[in-house]
Every structure is written in structure tokens, then in C-alpha cells.
Amino acid sequence: MEEKKFLEGGGEGISRRDFIKTGLAGAAAVGLAGMPLDALAQKAKPEALEFKPEKGAVLRVLRWSVFVKSDQEFWDKNTKKWEEATGCKVITEYISWEDVRSKAAMTASVGAGHDIVLGWHDDPHLYPDKLVDVTDLATYLDKKYGGWEPVCLKYGINPRTKRWICLPVGAPSMCMNYRISWMKEAGFEKFPDKIPEFIKLSKALKAKGRPTGHAMGKAVGDGNNTWHWWLWSFGGKVVESDGATLCLNKQETWDALEASKELYDTMIPGVASWLDPHNNKAFLAGEISLTGNGISIYYAAKEKFPDIAADMDHANMPVGPFGKPAELHLFNEAFIFRHCKVQQAAKHYLLYMFEEPQYGPWIEAMRGYVTPSLKDYKKLPVWTADPKHTPFRDTIGRMLWTGYAGPVGTPSAATMAEYVIVDMFNDVCVGGKSPKAAAAAAQDRAARYYKPRAPKAPAKAKEEPKPKEKK
Amino acid sequence: MSEKFVERMIKFYLPLFIFLFFLLFPFYWMFITAFKSDAELYNLKLNPFFIHEPTFKNILMLFKETLFNRWMFNTFFVAILATILSLSASLLAAYAIQRVRFRGSGPIGISIFFGYLVPPTILFIPLAAIIFQLKIWDSLWSLVLIYPTFLIPFCTWLLMGYFKSIPKEMEECAMIDGASRLRVFWQIVVPLALPGILSAGIFAFTLSWNEYLYALTFISTTTLKTAPVGLITELVRGDVYHWGPLMTGALLASVPVALVYSFFVEHYVAGMTGALKE
Amino acid sequence: MRISENIAIQPGKRPGRRWRWSGLLEDRTVMGMAFVAPAVGLLLLFLAYPLILGIWLGFTDTVVGGTGEFIGLANYISLLNDALFWKVTYYTFLYTGAAVFFKLLLGFALAIVLNREFRAKGFVRAIVLLPWIIPTVLSAICFWWLYDTTFSGITWVLMKIGLIGHKIDYLGDPTNARIALIVANVWRGIPFFTIGLLAGLQTINPSLYEAASIDGAGGWHRFRHVTLPLISPLLAVVTTFSTIWTFADFQLIWVITRGGPANATHLYGTLSFQRAIPGGQFGEGAAISAFILPVLMISVWVCYKYMRREE
């Protein structure tokens, strides 16, 4: 029951015991399919879930614009099927994934606009009171499809009310991308699964004139993912599970920073300002031998650079002194706004899209881009059809959440948006700061969001009249 | 003769060439990128300044896989309407402030000018609320109504300057002849100010054409997007940039405005000149 | 006072008959007010009102999707204690100062070059405007590619002719990144200066130059004592406009570096956006935006004084 421990981070507002119970139940659901999800699952069997879409309902859906074309094809196809089945209408807006947050924030603060948003990371926890409770859907799906991956509980449940406020869609996740032949040249037969060997491999590659490259600029995905993974893998973290005690300026962080210098020495020039696309370009041009990225490089290589596709492979991010996988990936969840006037239709639509006949082919069509949030979908052929896809299947089970070990919420979102962690590594590797100075500065930056606001905001939220929510 | 040529060379052609090189180099880069395949783009062994195996796939992708035509139409629609709206409002306002000199015209003139200062980043969230209340969210009309906020101040300023250059006597003569102020405005002032109106119009058109933040925020439906927003949202897929089609789109999106300019640039300069004449 | 009350009501009343309309319009104040009404109305609704809301936001602790409480100057005080904010302030001024200076210098130079008769004059003047015409997001993407350490064409040339031995890290090194972004901004802004100043140059009566030449004035002298004084009011106006845009710049930085590396290239505009939208701190974001206002006020005031004096 690795997953139980994994979730011990706990949460604000929710007692530790409660939380472990929830986590345990989530984990147990793998083995004992159908076991109710603790407090969340008072409802009976999956069949009981019935929604009646309002007549002539029009749903406005906001989602990220596709990574692969087939994504949109299948998403639109599924939507069309639903429209035909219900007589309702869906207007889907695709915008670049990084802009979803801006638009969703606008929708939330104005209280009008999109009904359903497929947002990222902390989005639903920035405005939990504006979202429709989807505990019924979450419970149903949990039972029907082998249970949610453990991290989904962190992202899906509002720690204060212990209700689900969104449905985790999946994680467009990251693995190490490497060139097989170059790794062998450097004297490694297998990709290392521990960080010390990983550093050795990077050094050996560099010595052979094959530098590595990891985004260290303001790359929302690659930059944050890489450096959170690195920090956590050394046991460092920004905040304790109480969500208020900052603990970044500690030995673990200093170790991580010290080690990052060794890794940085193996990288090509320019990484300090790399955004998400840079490593794709450099890898495809054969300039770097190793980088952390989604499956997009492999996909582009298969289409346009077959030689590289044949010579590259993926591996899960190596494990550090922390002793267990501690990865960060982009995380996507679907949520319904309360201002939606056709909530039955919205729930019906979301559920429809999550059901196997729709969700399965859709995940298949994305060819490994998005790792599904429900365990049964791990069995889809896409994960084994090409062995190079397989590492991506397991990423979501290896991940922690933004703001670990605290709760997901406004402070974690602000800290990440501010690139506190990425900048900290940048300061040491590029800016020449000492690890201690960099960690102290980063902790101060994080404190801007954790200290003055964190104790206040939840307190205020608790005072809010609850009855309104339970409509 | 040849000395004169050398002088002209040094004083004119050489600097002109250097300037043109600096200003146009990125366009050349876009142009060649538009015709390169990804394989060529990422091949560091090739000379990046030539197209080795020209491909038309990028252009095809732009027109076949995206709604580029539609976005161009939307951009035109918004730019033209916003320009007309801003021009009309500015024309009236500038005339009133500069010529009618009514009580309070000074402060109003200044406040309009100050309107130019407000950065969109501070405005767009509060604006969103207004747009929703007016029920023009996700409609091109929202842009038509918002763009004048940054067009009117400049246009008004430019036209005020231009009205200053029109001799007052002409108006006064016509008024003595018994023409009403309104008629004087329509039949004498507006025709005389035409070059200025044209400059302001071109200016307004360009700014509306390029606007990004509002178009991104207030438009949702794919078929209603403007060209810059459409290109970015559809051709940047996750961490993969479709450089070829993006650059093709960038070039094609600037062509219409460039054409407008090449026809009108002399008038544009003349219009600005009028605005500046004392 | 009575008169102006009248006016405020009149446009709304819409007297049906044409003659009454025009009769009323003979009154200066009525006509003036009626004429400025559309412009003022649009600006009030879509600019002044949201601006006031925005400024109010800066005095609250509003976060995304929440309602904030009035917290006075807390946002501002917290910003003044934020080392990053000062770093951003520094670069915002550096960026604006350097970019406007070079735009002015180069734009003016180009205007002087173009201020003569030559073949294809119209065409050249039009293509010179291209950088200003192309949507900024897209030209920024092009610059981004040109500044790529690995793929930059500039690096390729410099290496080929043997000027440099290793690749230049345009955007990874803080100093380089700062310069690179200023260059991109200058590239985009030159045409605005050129066209504006070219217009001014054309209004200068050639006989003034002739007179100066007869007095034995050289090229520099003519520029210093004829061109410059005549064009300086225009110069002030064009510079003010450019200062406003540059100071509040957002797109260019957001596309190319997002403020990196290590926050070396953040401007008020980008920091405000980063904290307000991805960070969810609406109040703080609005407070940063509000820092833009005083600077802009001052520049407009300077410009306005200048215009008035020339009148």
C-alpha cells in the first residue's frame, strides 16, 4: 500500500485521520472494485446516476487547444454523438493551454461565460465555491473504472468541504527522453532509475560531446515539472502539510541545489531562458541527448525524423534520496461553474465524455499525450502497442501535487506562477548564488503568498454561510 | 558627376540599405521559414538563409487545417468597423474641442488624451464584467466597441492638430454667408481635413489589426477569432510550434495592411504633416 | 452652470425636427457637447469605469473568483518591500529609456534619409512601416526563433565568418536577454518615429535651409539650428507616445522570455499579468499596473505643456 503513505501529506481543514482514510479507500478501490469511497460514496450503485439534460441546453466548454490533431477529432466526434443523443448543443472553445487559466479566471470572477472548463493544476481550488459539486460523478466513475489514481484525490477534492469539485481528466505528463545509441556510447546499457546514476549518465554524455538540456526558464510545463521533481526527489518541499509552515530553506533543498549544479554543467547553453518548446527543437535537431518532456518529441520524430524516433526512448524520472518517485506533471481537470444554467446537461455531458466508449478512444487517439486519471484506462492498448509509450502510462501514479506537502490552493498557484522553485535553481546554476542564499530568498518569496494570506483566506471562507452551497 | 554619385551613395543609399536590412531581415526569416519543412528547419548543417527544398505544405496546412480565411475576414470586419466608429467619434470631438471651443473643451481635451495612458492589463478583468452585462461577450461587436478606447485618444489628438492647420477664415466666411455650423462642418471642414482623417484612419486600422489581449479574452468561438489569436491558438500545440504555418500566417496577415500602406503612405505622411503644420 | 445642465440633457432628448436640432447646434456649448458626446461616452463606459474598478482592485486583497476586502495601501507596501518588484522597476525604466532613445535616434535618422526624392519612394516608405504593421505576437515569435541559442541565423553567420567561437546565449544570460528584448522593441518601434518625423520634416520650408546655407552653415549646423528647433514639438509628442507604449509593453516580453531568465526581463506589465492571472492575486496585479499610471501621467503632462507652449 505504497499509495497510502504517498498521500500522507495531509491537508488543510481536513483532519489527518480522515484524510488517510480517504486515501486508503482510494487505494483499496484498486483491489476491491466496488468498495465505496468512504464518506464520499453514500450513493449506491453506479447505475443510479441519472441526469436529465435540460431541453435545448447549450453548453459552453473551454478546453486547451490540442496537442495532436486526432485529439480534437475524437473530442469533437464524442461531443457530436452526445449532441445527437440529447438534442443539446455544445460550443467548444479551444485556446492554447497556457491561456486556459486566464480565461477560466475571468469566467470565475465575472460569473458568466463558459459552463465547463478543462483547467490546469490548482484552477478549481482557486475558486472552489464557484464550482458545482461533482461528488456523485466522481464516486460513480471511481467505482466503475477501477478507481482514481491517488493524486486525483488531492486535485479533485476540496479539502475544506471534502467534496469533489472537479473531475480529473488526466496528466499530460513528462518522462526522460533520451537517445539510445548515445546512452550506450556513454557506457550505460539501461536508463538509470536513481538520481546519482542519472547525474553520472549526464556527465558521461557531456564528456562524449552530447550535452543534455532541461528547461530552466519560465516554462509552465517543462520548467516547473523538472525542478519540482528535482527538489522533491531530494526530500525538499516548500511547505509542510499544514499549508502554513514554510520549510524550503533546509538541508534537503540545499542538497538539491548543490546537485543541480552538477546537472547544469552537462547542459547546453541557453537553458536558462528555455520555454516549453525549446527542448523539443534541440532534441529533434540532435543538439541534446537527454531532456525531460512529454511524448510530443517522439510524436514529432515519428512523423518527420524517423531516424531519431528509432533511436530514442523514454524512462520515468529517476528516484532521488527521497526514496520514492516524486514527480510533477501537468494535471488537467474538468469542472462545472455554478453559474451554468443547465447543470444537469453539464453533468450528463461530462459523465458521457468520461465513459469508456468515449474516453477510451479519445485517450487512444492522443497516442500517449495524456495519462488517464482512472486506473482501468491503463489497460488501453495504446500503452503497450508501442513499448516507448509505456513509461507514460505510469507517470500519474508517481506524481505529487502542486504545493506539496500543503494543500492545493491559491498560495500554491501563486508560488508556482511566480516560478519560485525554477528561479531558485536558476539563481544557483546561472546566477551564481550560494544554495543557502537562493533557498532563503525563495522561501521569502513563497512567504509572500503563504504567510499573510493563507491563515486569513480559509478562515474567511469558513465564515461564509454554508447552506448556499448545499443546493 | 561621379563624385556626386559617391556622395549620394554614402549619404543616402548606404544608410538606407542598412536600415532596410535591419527592418526587413526578420521578414526574410519569416519568408524562408514559411517554405521550409521541419526536417530542414532543424537541420543545423544546412545554411539557414536559403531554402533547400521548398515545400508548400505549410501554406496548405494553414488554409486546409485552420480557418485562416475566416479569421482574416473577422479581423477585417472588426478593424474596419472599429476604425469607422473611432474616426467618427474623434472627428466630431476634435472639431468641437479645437474649433468650437465651448466651455469645458480644454479639460475634456485633456481627459481624452489621458485615456491613452491606461494599460490594457489593468482593464481587461473589469472590462469583462461590462462586456457580459452588455451581452456582447463572444461577439465581434465587443471588440468593435472596445478598440475605440485606445483609438479615439490618438485620432482625436491627430485631428485636433489637423483642424488647427485649416484657416479659420474659411469657416467664418461661410458662416457670414449664412451657412449653419453643421453645414460648415460637413461641407467645408471635413473635406479639408480629409488627409488628416485618412492618416488617423490608417493608424486606427493598424492598431485594431494587431490587437491581441482583448481579442483573446473576449472572443471564444473559433469561427469568431481574429487572425493573430487564431494563429497562436491553433498552430501552437502544447510545446510544439508549427513554425512554417505560423510564419506563413504572420506574413499573410500583414500583407493587407502593407498594401493599404503602400497605396496611402504618401497621404498618411501628408495627413500627419497637416496635423503638425502651424 | 445652467447652460451646461441644459446640454447634458439635450442630446438625450433628441428633438425630432431637424430645424430644431440645427438651431440648437448654433449654440457653441450645445454643439460642442453634442459633438464630444460619442467619444466621451465610449471612453467613460469602456475606459474610465473599468479603470476606476481596476484602481479600486489595487486597494483590495481580491484573489481570483473571490471578493476582496479593502486593505488600504497594503498591496503597495508589500510591493515596496519586494526585492523582485525593484528589480522589475529597474528593468522597466531601463527598457523604456534605452528603447525610446534608440527608436528616436534611429527613427529620426531614417526619416532624414527618406526625406528626399528618389525612385520608388512610396514603396520604400511603405515597406519601412512593415515592422509596425505586423501583429506583435507574430513578430515576437519570429524574434524568439532568431534568438534561439541553437538555431539562430545570426549566430550561424557570426560563426561562419569566424567572429565568435561558441554559440551566443541570447536569452539565457540576463544581460544579453535584456539587450535582445530592447533590440526587438526598437525594431518594432522605429517606423512610428520615422513616419511621424518624416511628416514633420516635410513641413519645413526649404528656403530656411537655403538661407542657412548662404550663411555658410554646414550640414550639422543646419540640422542643429534649423531642423531640430522646428521639429522639436513634434519630437516631444512622438516621444511621449512611444514612451507610453514602451513603458506599458507586454506582448513582446511575454512571448519571448515571460520575464526570465531569473526575472531579469520582467516589466510592470508582465509582472502584473503574471501575478494577477496565473498567480490569481488580482489585487496585487492591479496595484502593479497602477504603478504605470503616475509615470504615464508625468509624460503626458510634459507633452501637454510642450504642445501648449508651441501654440
Side-chain angles (χ1 to χ4, degrees):
Chain A
M1 288 277 104
E2 194 56 36
E3 279 138 350
K4 185 185 99 186
K5 257 197 243 150
F6 170 97
L7 278 161
E8 269 181 4
E12 153 237 17
I14 194 172
S15 86
R16 172 162 283 246
R17 196 177 53 89
D18 270 355
F19 194 76
I20 292 173
K21 252 161 78 188
T22 314
L24 189 64
V30 195
L32 311 163
M35 178 176 167
L37 227 160
D38 196 57
L40 313 170
Q42 311 305 5
K43 288 256 174 65
K45 299 142 213 160
E47 299 83 57
L49 214 52
E50 284 247 341
F51 299 109
K52 289 205 179 70
E54 294 82 352
K55 273 233 166 65
V58 178
L59 282 175
R60 283 186 169 274
V61 178
L62 173 69
R63 55 156 294 186
W64 77 90
S65 73
V66 297
F67 301 151
V68 268
K69 241 189 117 238
S70 44
D71 167 3
Q72 185 166 359
E73 270 164 40
F74 274 81
W75 184 267
D76 287 347
K77 207 167 99 186
N78 289 338
T79 303
K80 201 152 189 282
K81 276 198 298 184
W82 183 78
E83 285 179 328
E84 280 160 10
T86 58
C88 302
K89 195 170 154 31
V90 179
I91 302 170
T92 314
E93 175 187 3
Y94 294 89
I95 59 171
S96 19
W97 63 278
E98 291 166 70
D99 292 327
V100 172
R101 169 161 279 185
S102 331
K103 276 211 143 169
M106 195 188 75
T107 302
S109 58
V110 175
H114 304 97
D115 300 306
I116 297 177
V117 173
L118 271 67
W120 300 103
H121 277 316
D122 337 60
D123 278 343
H125 297 272
L126 298 181
Y127 27 81
D129 300 334
K130 308 229 160 183
L131 304 178
V132 171
D133 187 324
V134 288
T135 307
D136 44 356
L137 273 75
T139 316
Y140 167 88
L141 289 169
D142 179 76
K143 274 187 274 179
K144 189 158 174 194
Y145 294 107
W148 294 103
E149 294 279 357
V151 76
C152 296
L153 306 185
K154 260 291 171 186
Y155 278 111
I157 301 172
N158 179 355
R160 183 161 46 81
T161 59
K162 298 173 199 170
R163 308 288 292 175
W164 288 78
I165 50 172
C166 62
L167 294 180
V169 174
S173 56
M174 170 191 245
C175 282
M176 280 298 167
N177 290 232
Y178 61 96
R179 294 286 288 263
I180 303 169
S181 60
W182 294 350
M183 176 184 74
K184 288 188 177 152
E185 270 175 43
F188 281 75
E189 274 312 303
K190 222 177 112 274
F191 195 85
D193 56 359
K194 293 278 184 317
I195 282 186
E197 279 83 55
F198 172 74
I199 295 177
K200 270 185 210 149
L201 167 67
S202 301
K203 283 182 175 164
L205 284 165
K206 169 81 174 176
K208 290 267 176 195
R210 310 286 189 200
T212 66
H214 302 274
M216 212 180 238
K218 313 235 151 183
V220 184
D222 296 342
N224 277 322
N225 292 351
T226 306
W227 298 109
H228 277 91
W229 156 67
W230 191 265
L231 174 71
W232 292 339
S233 293
F234 282 83
K237 58 191 167 195
V238 176
V239 67
E240 298 285 2
S241 53
D242 60 4
T245 317
L246 291 169
C247 54
L248 188 59
N249 194 12
K250 285 238 169 89
Q251 187 63 43
E252 289 85 354
T253 310
W254 305 334
D255 292 346
L257 287 163
E258 207 55 68
S260 73
K261 282 201 277 188
E262 290 182 59
L263 186 64
Y264 179 71
D265 287 339
T266 70
M267 297 190 211
I268 67 165
V271 289
S273 67
W274 271 11
L275 304 183
D276 287 278
H278 281 95
N279 58 343
N280 297 48
K281 276 198 294 186
F283 194 93
L284 290 173
E287 285 287 293
I288 52 172
S289 52
L290 170 64
T291 191
N293 201 62
I295 207 165
S296 54
I297 294 180
Y298 181 57
Y299 186 78
K302 274 217 291 204
E303 274 190 343
K304 290 166 182 162
F305 305 87
D307 298 347
I308 294 181
D311 186 40
M312 70 179 285
D313 204 348
H314 306 110
N316 284 118
M317 312 291 271
V319 176
F322 185 53
K324 337 174 235 203
E327 301 173 6
L328 179 68
H329 303 289
L330 289 176
F331 195 87
N332 190 254
E333 59 277 277
F335 43 92
I336 306 169
F337 277 104
R338 288 220 171 145
H339 61 241
C340 171
K341 296 206 174 66
V342 286
Q343 294 183 7
Q344 288 285 312
K347 282 187 167 182
H348 191 275
Y349 174 70
L350 269 192
L351 189 62
Y352 184 83
M353 295 301 261
F354 269 85
E355 294 276 16
E356 203 283 324
Q358 286 72 244
Y359 191 87
W362 178 57
I363 291 288
E364 283 279 311
M366 285 193 287
R367 281 166 262 189
Y369 262 87
V370 174
T371 305
S373 48
L374 287 157
K375 287 181 181 159
D376 272 0
Y377 290 117
K378 273 187 177 174
K379 294 177 201 143
L380 288 171
V382 62
W383 302 115
T384 40
D386 182 340
K388 290 179 184 178
H389 289 174
T390 313
F392 286 96
R393 175 189 65 191
D394 305 324
T395 49
I396 200 167
R398 300 165 61 93
M399 78 180 278
L400 301 173
W401 56 94
T402 58
Y404 163 83
V408 182
T410 314
S412 69
T415 308
M416 191 146 114
E418 196 74 359
Y419 297 95
V420 171
I421 298 303
V422 182
D423 285 348
M424 178 176 77
F425 284 97
N426 203 316
D427 278 346
V428 169
C429 294
V430 189
K433 262 196 196 171
S434 75
K436 284 186 184 177
Q443 177 158 331
D444 284 346
R445 290 180 67 191
R448 287 174 58 81
Y449 302 107
Y450 276 100
K451 283 231 174 83
R453 290 163 205 265
K456 197 180 157 200
K460 215 174 70 190
K462 262 175 201 157
E463 283 161 22
E464 270 171 30
K466 264 194 173 176
K468 259 190 185 171
E469 288 171 11
K470 284 192 175 164
K471 241 188 275 178
Chain B
M1 193 64 192
S2 78
E3 215 167 278
K4 208 176 168 193
F5 175 75
V6 171
E7 201 196 320
R8 200 173 158 81
M9 198 68 193
I10 293 173
K11 280 192 168 168
F12 177 64
Y13 285 110
L14 189 68
L16 181 67
F17 176 77
I18 295 173
F19 269 115
L20 287 184
F21 178 80
F22 175 60
L23 293 177
L24 298 182
F25 175 69
F27 286 94
Y28 175 69
W29 193 259
M30 285 184 214
F31 179 77
I32 54 172
T33 308
F35 290 100
K36 284 181 180 182
S37 64
D38 274 7
E40 187 176 333
L41 223 44
Y42 292 155
N43 189 336
L44 291 166
K45 290 185 190 82
L46 297 175
N47 181 337
F49 291 96
F50 295 109
I51 307 167
H52 297 268
E53 287 168 40
T55 169
F56 292 95
K57 271 192 189 151
N58 297 324
I59 299 170
L60 285 179
M61 177 173 172
L62 183 69
F63 283 100
K64 273 186 162 169
E65 291 187 24
T66 72
L67 300 168
F68 188 67
N69 289 329
R70 178 79 209 190
W71 300 333
M72 288 293 272
F73 170 81
N74 294 338
T75 320
F76 258 111
F77 177 84
V78 170
I80 286 174
L81 285 182
T83 303
I84 292 174
L85 183 61
S86 318
L87 268 188
S88 326
S90 305
L91 193 61
L92 292 171
Y95 178 74
I97 294 165
Q98 185 63 41
R99 271 303 161 80
V100 182
R101 294 257 173 206
F102 60 100
R103 209 193 292 187
S105 60
I108 291 186
I110 302 175
S111 9
I112 289 184
F113 196 68
F114 268 86
Y116 214 63
L117 307 182
V118 185
T121 37
I122 197 174
L123 286 183
F124 84 94
I125 298 265
L127 256 182
I130 300 172
I131 294 297
F132 275 108
Q133 274 155 22
L134 292 176
K135 304 217 185 297
I136 48 171
W137 181 71
D138 196 19
S139 146
L140 290 175
W141 292 106
S142 62
L143 302 184
V144 172
L145 286 174
I146 290 173
Y147 287 179
T149 56
F150 55 85
L151 303 179
I152 287 178
F154 188 89
C155 293
T156 308
W157 169 78
L158 201 130
L159 289 169
M160 272 166 67
Y162 205 86
F163 285 135
K164 224 188 318 183
S165 73
I166 299 172
K168 252 197 163 127
E169 294 76 39
M170 298 190 76
E171 264 179 275
E172 280 158 7
C173 283
M175 296 240 273
I176 291 166
D177 288 349
S180 70
R181 254 190 187 277
L182 211 58
R183 244 185 88 190
V184 171
F185 176 70
W186 274 122
Q187 298 193 334
I188 297 181
V189 177
V190 171
L192 277 173
L194 217 51
I197 298 174
L198 203 62
S199 307
I202 293 177
F203 176 87
F205 185 80
T206 316
L207 283 194
S208 337
W209 186 264
N210 291 351
E211 207 284 330
Y212 184 74
L213 188 60
Y214 292 143
L216 174 73
T217 319
F218 299 129
I219 298 296
S220 277
T221 315
T222 311
T223 49
L224 292 179
K225 280 177 180 161
T226 62
V229 177
L231 286 172
I232 298 284
T233 47
E234 309 267 326
L235 293 173
V236 177
R237 290 181 183 161
D239 53 1
V240 178
Y241 280 56
H242 293 265
W243 296 101
L246 261 176
M247 293 295 121
T248 316
L251 280 179
L252 291 178
S254 33
V255 163
V257 194
L259 280 178
V260 171
Y261 270 94
S262 62
F263 282 122
F264 291 118
V265 73
E266 291 308 314
H267 300 281
Y268 184 62
V269 175
M272 295 274 279
T273 313
L276 307 163
K277 241 184 226 157
E278 196 49 35
Chain C
M1 196 61 219
R2 226 183 56 112
I3 299 167
S4 63
E5 269 168 21
N6 242 349
I7 305 131
I9 302 165
Q10 284 314 333
K13 261 192 176 171
R14 288 195 165 255
R17 301 289 285 265
R18 203 196 153 98
W19 60 267
R20 274 182 66 192
W21 235 137
S22 20
L24 262 175
L25 284 175
E26 287 312 300
D27 183 306
R28 268 176 184 267
T29 322
V30 177
M31 180 181 180
M33 286 297 196
F35 270 31
V36 293
V40 170
L42 267 173
L43 293 181
L44 278 181
L45 178 58
F46 291 112
L47 194 79
Y49 176 54
L51 175 65
I52 292 166
L53 289 180
I55 290 174
W56 165 251
L57 217 53
F59 293 107
T60 68
D61 60 355
T62 310
V63 291
V64 177
T67 44
E69 277 171 27
F70 181 76
I71 51 165
L73 289 172
N75 282 329
Y76 293 90
I77 293 164
S78 134
L79 279 174
L80 295 178
N81 289 319
D82 178 10
L84 178 58
F85 179 75
W86 288 106
K87 195 175 178 181
V88 173
T89 306
Y90 167 73
Y91 185 61
T92 309
F93 278 89
L94 178 76
Y95 179 80
T96 312
V100 172
F101 175 76
F102 283 106
K103 281 189 272 194
L104 174 65
L105 200 69
L106 296 172
F108 203 175
L110 182 58
I112 291 171
V113 170
L114 289 179
N115 187 29
R116 64 157 76 197
E117 289 302 319
F118 58 94
R119 228 181 284 162
K121 189 176 71 171
F123 176 71
V124 171
R125 284 179 179 179
I127 57 169
V128 157
L129 278 170
L130 273 174
W132 196 56
I133 293 170
I134 184 167
T136 312
V137 234
L138 302 171
S139 60
I141 289 184
C142 177
F143 265 92
W144 191 38
W145 175 274
L146 279 172
Y147 286 148
D148 190 298
T149 319
T150 314
F151 296 92
S152 172
I154 308 167
T155 305
W156 191 87
V157 172
L158 293 177
M159 283 179 97
K160 271 281 152 168
I161 55 176
L163 269 181
I164 49 167
H166 58 88
K167 293 190 166 169
I168 307 173
D169 192 354
Y170 296 97
L171 298 175
D173 175 77
T175 314
N176 287 353
R178 287 176 163 176
I179 298 171
L181 287 171
I182 291 172
V183 170
N185 183 287
V186 169
W187 176 83
R188 192 189 135 71
I190 286 179
F192 176 70
F193 276 89
T194 302
I195 290 301
L197 295 176
L198 185 58
L201 288 175
Q202 291 188 342
T203 62
I204 297 175
N205 194 329
S207 61
L208 288 173
Y209 287 116
E210 280 159 27
S213 294
I214 291 165
D215 290 348
W220 167 249
H221 215 72
R222 275 192 310 235
F223 173 77
R224 177 73 188 74
H225 294 287
V226 180
T227 314
L228 212 54
L230 283 173
I231 211 160
S232 54
L234 174 62
L235 214 53
V237 173
V238 179
T239 309
T240 310
F241 272 106
S242 178
T243 308
I244 295 171
W245 291 327
T246 315
F247 201 81
D249 206 353
F250 168 74
Q251 279 184 23
L252 198 67
I253 310 279
W254 195 252
V255 171
I256 298 179
T257 62
R258 291 240 169 86
N263 301 311
T265 60
H266 257 310
L267 298 180
Y268 281 159
T270 51
L271 186 72
S272 153
F273 186 82
Q274 174 181 302
R275 289 199 173 157
I277 305 304
Q281 314 285 329
F282 278 3
E284 199 182 338
I288 298 170
S289 283
F291 271 98
I292 302 176
L293 287 173
V295 178
L296 298 185
M297 295 271 190
I298 292 167
S299 53
V300 165
W301 185 73
V302 169
C303 170
Y304 191 78
K305 283 280 145 187
Y306 220 104
M307 285 159 80
R308 273 280 134 128
R309 212 178 62 200
E310 293 307 316
E311 233 172 67

